[in-house]
Amino acid sequence: MTDKTKRDLAQVFATGTGSITGAGTAESGEELLTKKKDFDRIRLLNRKQAAEYLGLAENTLAVWKSTRRYDLPVVMVGRLPRYRQSDLDSWLASRTVGVAA
């Protein structure tokens, strides 16, 4: 990736405007932001990353999974638990009490 492409990417993600040229194609800022949102939605986090995202101890997620205390979706990749960031966001939203001001 060239320095110009890196600068263009930074501008697109910061402002949502501009375009990136690379590999013979040009993509608008809107198209790239859509791709970034899609990537973030399916992003898999390991247990440590998910715990940090939720503000919990890593061991807490392990206990919740083994005791099935909460219905927190887990994607098993082999024997390794992974968490979709979008699932964590949905789970947090379902546990939110009250109306946001």
Side-chain angles (χ1 to χ4, degrees):
M1 184 180 309
T2 67
D3 287 339
K4 181 182 179 338
T5 303
K6 290 177 184 176
R7 285 192 305 273
D8 290 347
L9 266 174
Q11 177 192 359
V12 166
F13 289 135
T15 65
T17 62
S19 63
I20 306 298
T21 55
T25 63
E27 296 183 78
S28 71
E30 187 174 315
E31 290 168 337
L32 285 171
L33 286 174
T34 300
K35 286 182 180 181
K36 182 180 183 311
K37 288 176 186 172
D38 289 343
F39 174 77
D40 287 345
R41 188 177 64 235
I42 60 171
R43 182 173 174 217
L44 292 177
L45 306 174
N46 63 30
R47 185 174 283 150
K48 181 178 180 180
Q49 293 168 326
E52 288 174 5
Y53 185 75
L54 295 172
L56 302 169
E58 185 177 347
N59 192 44
T60 300
L61 288 178
V63 170
W64 287 358
K65 182 182 179 307
S66 67
T67 62
R68 297 182 180 163
R69 180 169 182 176
Y70 295 106
D71 189 24
L72 185 59
V74 177
V75 176
M76 295 303 293
V77 179
R79 64 184 183 96
L80 303 173
R82 295 292 185 252
Y83 301 84
R84 285 188 198 97
Q85 188 170 337
S86 60
D87 288 343
L88 297 177
D89 291 335
S90 297
W91 182 80
L92 283 172
S94 72
R95 310 241 351 124
T96 301
V97 178
V99 180

